[in-house]
Amino acid sequence: MQFGVFSVGDVTEDPTTGVTPTEGERIKAMVAIALKAEEVGLDVFAQGEHHNPPFVPSSPTTQLGFIAAQTSKIILSTSTTLITTNDPVKIAEDYAMLQHLADGRVDLMMGRGNTGPVYPWFGQDIRNGIALAVENYALLRRLWREDVVDWEGKFRTPLQGFTATPRPLDGVPPFVWHGSIRSPEIAEQAAYYGDGFFHNNIFWPISHTKQMIELYRRRFEHYGHGAADQAIVGVGGQVFMRKNSQDAVREFRPYFDNAPVYGHGPSLEDFTRETPLTVGSPQEVIERTLSFREHFGDYQRQLFLMDHAGLPLKTVLEQLDILGEEVVPVLRKEFAALKPAHVPDAPTHASLKAAAERARQLETIDEPAVVAEPTAEESTR
Amino acid sequence: MNERVIAVVTAGLTTPSSSRLLADQLSAAVADELSGRGISSRIETIEVRDHAHDLTNNLLTGFPSAELREVLETVEAADALIVVSPTFSASYSGLFKMFFDVLDDQALAGKPVLLAATGGTERHSLVLDFALRPLFAYLKALPVPTGVYAASTDWGPNAAGLRPRITQAAGELVAALHHETPTKSDPFTNPTPFEDLLNS
């Protein structure tokens, strides 16, 4: 199972000090968080993409490329890449480029973006959100898989004899997760292609997350990619930890009370009861996170939101130390012990490359074979 | 089998409130009308005030608390609805509107609704037709033709005048119950096949 962090990239005042980082400080803080994530043994760093203040990460591949140069193991991902308002041609090129620079340590999570005003800035309309996600992703897949593409659709100018450069590393497109909080169409899309499905699992009760994941698993099986329990599922989580539970609650409360999205609303106690937010000791975080499996089945990727709501970098790095030293090693062991052998790990570049090579060999020996997603033993992490 | 569930949403603020008083009289009249036709009824009365904080939280977080979710599901599952709002600044109250803002906008489609309001003076009585009726038209509910507005005087000297309006409206609501409510398809049970999404 993969463990990691995902960052929204908000620039928010620290409510306890009144200090707001500059954009530059926040961007560098995100880099420091990514490097720390690798240092403490996490598997994934994912970052959001936004085109409006108070968020800084408008250009994820620039930032992830910079991080790639300073890391060697961690997988770089997105949370999310805006499949609705970005040109799929540019996504295909940017992330193939990043793949080469990062030696394959790249995957993506597609999302639609829920900020209405962003769409018209990029010539789109939020009411077409689903249709854009469907059409743009269908094109993106072809751009990565076919060397020369002729294409015509509703939302972008047609392509004639177009080749996206560079071609994906080793001819293997990055693995794709589809993220959605509440749209069954996106779970359906992920299932149709046999891609991964990610639920951010932060702002909503666990019953909603469960409903989306169950739909994805059922349809994954329906489309013939494997059994429902072999579908590739990722979920988010949000934690704040101190050795003593009460200290964690006391320290985190002002950040919670003033947080973007849910601040000035429900109490910390209400929110931790209603959603997967866990504020307490490392042991409490371990127990809560292990309980996700009872709702979602054996899953492949767990990301935590650690750096938001104005938490200072120093605190976030301390949190990552606790996560990497005390929480993730236990979770890794416990989840692995529970996972049946037929449930695959999340695909990586290495496992996808091996699967593609095997498919090519089968093709030369036998009739053309359908490329299957990698099985458990092919996935390395 | 032969039981009808009537949800009553009342947004009075005081205890006792005239909105609740009107809500109780309306629901009693609807229960009488149903029993006259040999149909039993269950009345589920919801005081919006009890859920004021949860409603605000729902607007901020995007999801209802477990308690509020139960209330919203009760309204959605009911066979018919009685709604009562006090008149504030020439319209329904903000709290009343919040309840219908967080309710799924398809939840009331095809559902018979009895519109009612209270106020300090008769001069606000058109609040029923100029504020409540458009709201429930938007929600694709089926508001019955007679709405019931009760001003302060209707609880005193004019009480005899209120009674026939209540009876009339209750009769209309029960008559409307024979409408077939449209069955809704659950997108989690029956998702749109992806080929259809690709080709649409």
Side-chain angles (χ1 to χ4, degrees):
Chain A
M1 185 157 162
Q2 297 172 337
F3 295 90
V5 290
F6 63 142
S7 175
V8 187
D10 58 316
V11 177
T12 304
E13 178 187 285
D14 181 336
T16 65
T17 60
V19 173
T20 306
T22 64
E23 288 181 321
E25 285 165 349
R26 184 66 173 105
I27 290 165
K28 289 293 177 69
M30 288 174 75
V31 172
I33 288 162
L35 302 187
K36 187 70 171 183
E38 169 155 301
E39 182 199 318
V40 301
L42 300 184
D43 308 305
V44 184
F45 172 80
Q47 67 162 78
E49 175 188 333
H50 296 275
H51 299 275
N52 51 306
F55 304 99
V56 287
S58 59
S59 180
T61 51
T62 308
Q63 185 153 9
L64 292 175
F66 185 76
I67 294 166
Q70 300 173 70
T71 52
S72 59
K73 295 195 295 287
I74 199 159
I75 295 172
L76 305 167
S77 187
T78 58
S79 57
T80 60
T81 294
L82 301 175
I83 187 65
T84 47
T85 47
N86 282 306
D87 183 355
V89 169
K90 198 71 172 83
I91 299 177
E93 296 184 335
D94 282 347
Y95 286 87
M97 184 87 184
L98 182 62
Q99 251 195 329
H100 283 274
L101 290 171
D103 301 312
R105 289 183 288 128
V106 175
D107 60 38
L108 289 86
M109 191 201 302
M110 300 300 169
R112 300 203 306 282
N114 60 3
T115 314
V118 174
Y119 283 72
W121 298 334
F122 293 89
Q124 302 298 351
D125 182 332
I126 196 169
R127 290 170 297 180
N128 295 328
I130 296 278
L132 280 161
V134 168
E135 179 177 305
N136 286 350
Y137 182 64
L139 172 57
L140 175 60
R141 281 182 69 87
R142 288 191 57 197
L143 292 168
W144 275 336
R145 286 167 173 79
E146 298 170 31
D147 289 341
V148 182
V149 172
D150 291 335
W151 178 88
E152 197 175 335
K154 261 197 294 207
F155 295 113
R156 115 182 265 299
T157 48
L159 296 170
Q160 289 296 329
F162 179 75
T163 299
T165 59
R167 304 304 302 143
L169 177 65
D170 304 318
V172 176
F175 185 69
V176 168
W177 304 78
H178 298 267
S180 177
I181 296 177
R182 61 183 300 178
S183 303
E185 295 91 340
I186 299 302
E188 173 76 8
Q189 181 186 33
Y192 177 79
Y193 291 113
D195 291 342
F197 177 74
F198 186 91
H199 196 289
N200 97 351
N201 192 34
I202 282 184
F203 302 126
W204 286 64
I206 211 151
S207 55
H208 285 258
T209 307
K210 185 179 171 183
Q211 189 180 33
M212 287 289 283
I213 291 173
E214 278 175 357
L215 173 64
Y216 161 68
R217 286 187 183 282
R218 199 172 79 236
R219 300 297 285 176
F220 181 93
E221 182 168 312
H222 169 83
Y223 286 116
H225 299 293
D229 65 357
Q230 294 174 309
I232 308 298
V233 172
V235 303
Q238 185 184 357
V239 300
F240 189 86
M241 298 164 284
R242 288 298 179 201
K243 189 182 286 293
N244 293 315
S245 204
Q246 292 82 355
D247 294 339
V249 170
R250 195 178 312 116
E251 186 176 344
F252 189 63
R253 188 184 300 282
Y255 297 96
F256 176 88
D257 285 346
N258 294 287
V261 184
Y262 49 68
H264 309 285
S267 68
L268 178 58
E269 285 71 14
D270 283 345
F271 206 72
T272 45
R273 194 178 55 246
E274 298 276 349
T275 77
L277 169 67
T278 309
V279 182
S281 66
Q283 188 54 37
E284 285 172 293
V285 168
I286 288 168
E287 281 163 20
R288 192 87 186 271
T289 308
L290 280 171
S291 79
F292 292 171
R293 186 183 162 277
E294 290 154 28
H295 300 275
F296 311 145
D298 290 289
Y299 60 104
Q300 283 75 10
R301 176 174 284 187
Q302 173 69 55
L303 300 183
F304 293 100
L305 174 66
M306 309 297 288
D307 67 322
H308 69 127
L311 285 165
L313 178 60
K314 180 173 170 292
T315 306
V316 175
L317 297 179
E318 285 166 9
Q319 291 293 307
L320 289 176
D321 275 327
I322 303 173
L323 192 67
E325 285 162 20
E326 298 178 42
V327 175
V328 166
V330 180
L331 289 177
R332 232 185 251 293
K333 214 174 99 213
E334 298 276 332
F335 275 117
L338 292 163
K339 183 173 83 77
H342 70 279
V343 173
D345 288 326
T348 60
H349 183 76
S351 74
L352 292 170
K353 189 179 158 189
E357 270 162 14
R358 203 190 45 178
R360 259 197 304 277
Q361 281 165 5
L362 283 174
E363 225 170 290
T364 53
I365 299 165
D366 210 4
E367 290 167 26
V370 177
V371 181
E373 291 301 335
T375 55
E377 69 270 18
E378 282 163 353
S379 299
T380 51
R381 52 194 296 172
Chain B
M1 183 62 209
N2 214 7
E3 182 189 68
R4 296 293 191 162
V5 180
I6 313 296
V8 186
V9 176
T10 173
L13 293 177
T14 55
T15 312
S17 79
S18 55
S19 292
R20 176 59 187 261
L21 200 56
L22 182 58
D24 287 347
Q25 293 196 6
L26 286 166
S27 48
V30 168
D32 279 353
E33 191 72 34
L34 281 167
S35 86
R37 300 180 186 210
I39 303 167
S40 65
S41 57
R42 181 155 55 85
I43 308 290
E44 299 277 1
T45 303
I46 295 147
E47 284 277 6
V48 182
R49 186 190 203 285
D50 295 344
H51 308 285
H53 284 275
D54 278 354
L55 287 168
T56 304
N57 290 346
N58 189 346
L59 289 178
L60 297 182
T61 62
F63 66 88
S65 66
E67 201 175 300
L68 179 59
R69 185 162 59 241
E70 212 171 287
V71 169
L72 297 174
E73 283 168 1
T74 299
V75 169
E76 190 162 354
D79 295 301
L81 193 58
I82 297 170
V83 301
V84 191
S85 176
T87 306
F88 279 15
S89 307
S91 187
Y92 37 69
S93 72
L95 188 60
F96 178 85
K97 177 66 158 46
M98 268 168 73
F99 187 86
F100 294 99
D101 283 348
V102 305
L103 193 66
D104 185 287
D105 63 3
Q106 297 298 314
L108 300 186
K111 203 184 294 297
V113 179
L114 195 169
L115 306 177
T118 56
T121 154
E122 302 84 333
R123 286 189 286 276
H124 280 308
S125 63
L126 279 173
V127 68
L128 290 172
D129 296 312
F130 282 72
L132 274 82
R133 202 169 289 277
L135 171 63
F136 288 89
Y138 168 76
L139 294 169
K140 298 189 173 63
L142 299 175
V144 298
T146 301
V148 180
Y149 180 87
S152 303
T153 47
D154 287 302
W155 306 113
N158 292 348
L162 180 61
R163 194 70 228 164
R165 302 207 300 276
I166 288 174
T167 310
Q168 169 75 21
E172 289 172 12
L173 188 73
V174 170
L177 274 174
H178 299 292
H179 272 280
E180 293 217 354
T181 49
T183 49
K184 267 172 282 181
S185 175
D186 176 7
F188 288 93
T189 312
N190 300 305
T192 308
F194 193 72
E195 297 284 1
D196 293 355
L197 292 173
L198 263 180
N199 298 326
S200 67

